[in-house]
Amino acid sequence: MAAVLLLALAGCGGPLTHTAEAYDASKVNNEQRASVQAAATEAADAGRKLHEAEERVPAAEEAVENAEKDVERAEHAVELAKAKLDVEKVKGDGNERSDVEQAKSDLSKSERDLAVKEAEVELAEQKLERSKLAAVEAKQAWLGELAKVEIAKSEAAGVESAEAGVIAPPKIVS
């Protein structure tokens, strides 16, 4: 049924394609008009939710980019900490005052920071995927609500059932 509604809504030749022309709010009773208005209100609400969901996607994409930049900075910090440890080891071999233990500690901290940043990238990517899926679901809901508006209009206008006249897709014989 949902596929039929969406096909009709998309203009694939179903009876809903001309419903807007057949529906005249001034020629239907208050109950039918209220039914169409209620469906239109639901469709408008679904449209707002779609817009909000679509707006969250770019913000999630930006969060992924920022997290990836943080990983790059953390990788550089690890490289610097490794270089500092090498310098401190050389100083110790040359009988100069060195702080190898502090350099090892700094390296360990940098490596932990890198692991955290990499986990933050994974989390940001998951949030991005969730945002994209939410936008797709919101679009499906909006299309469904638009179909309900058209059904309400067709019923108010006296157009036959939404399923009447819709040509079924050909069956594939294997």
Side-chain angles (χ1 to χ4, degrees):
M1 176 71 173
V4 169
L5 295 176
L6 292 177
L7 283 174
L9 183 62
C12 293
L16 295 180
T17 56
H18 302 292
T19 301
E21 295 150 10
Y23 176 75
D24 182 357
S26 66
K27 294 181 181 178
V28 297
N29 66 38
N30 285 338
E31 185 180 314
Q32 291 170 323
R33 192 175 313 117
S35 174
V36 172
Q37 288 172 339
T41 299
E42 290 295 321
D45 184 48
R48 281 190 295 279
K49 289 177 182 176
L50 170 60
H51 180 71
E52 291 168 1
E54 287 176 336
E55 283 184 337
R56 285 190 287 272
V57 172
E61 289 171 337
E62 184 177 344
V64 169
E65 290 173 15
N66 290 338
E68 288 171 342
K69 289 176 185 175
D70 288 344
V71 166
E72 289 177 22
R73 286 190 283 274
E75 288 171 340
H76 291 297
V78 167
E79 293 305 314
L80 287 173
K82 286 179 181 178
K84 182 179 177 185
L85 177 60
D86 290 343
V87 167
E88 293 300 321
K89 285 180 180 178
V90 170
K91 282 182 181 179
D93 291 344
N95 294 326
E96 291 183 44
R97 186 171 165 262
S98 68
D99 197 353
V100 173
E101 291 307 312
Q102 181 61 44
K104 285 181 182 178
S105 176
D106 291 346
L107 176 58
S108 178
K109 181 187 178 305
S110 295
E111 289 171 338
R112 281 192 310 270
D113 289 346
L114 175 58
V116 168
K117 298 300 181 190
E118 289 172 338
E120 288 173 352
V121 167
E122 288 181 35
L123 179 61
E125 288 172 342
Q126 290 173 358
K127 286 181 179 181
L128 172 60
E129 285 304 310
R130 189 176 66 208
S131 292
K132 287 179 179 180
L133 288 174
V136 168
E137 289 172 355
K139 187 167 189 170
Q140 290 171 341
W142 175 66
L143 290 172
E145 292 301 326
L146 288 177
K148 288 178 185 177
V149 170
E150 296 305 315
I151 289 171
K153 285 180 181 179
S154 71
E155 289 173 353
V159 176
E160 290 191 24
S161 169
E163 293 180 353
V166 174
I167 299 171
K171 292 184 180 183
I172 299 174
V173 179
S174 43

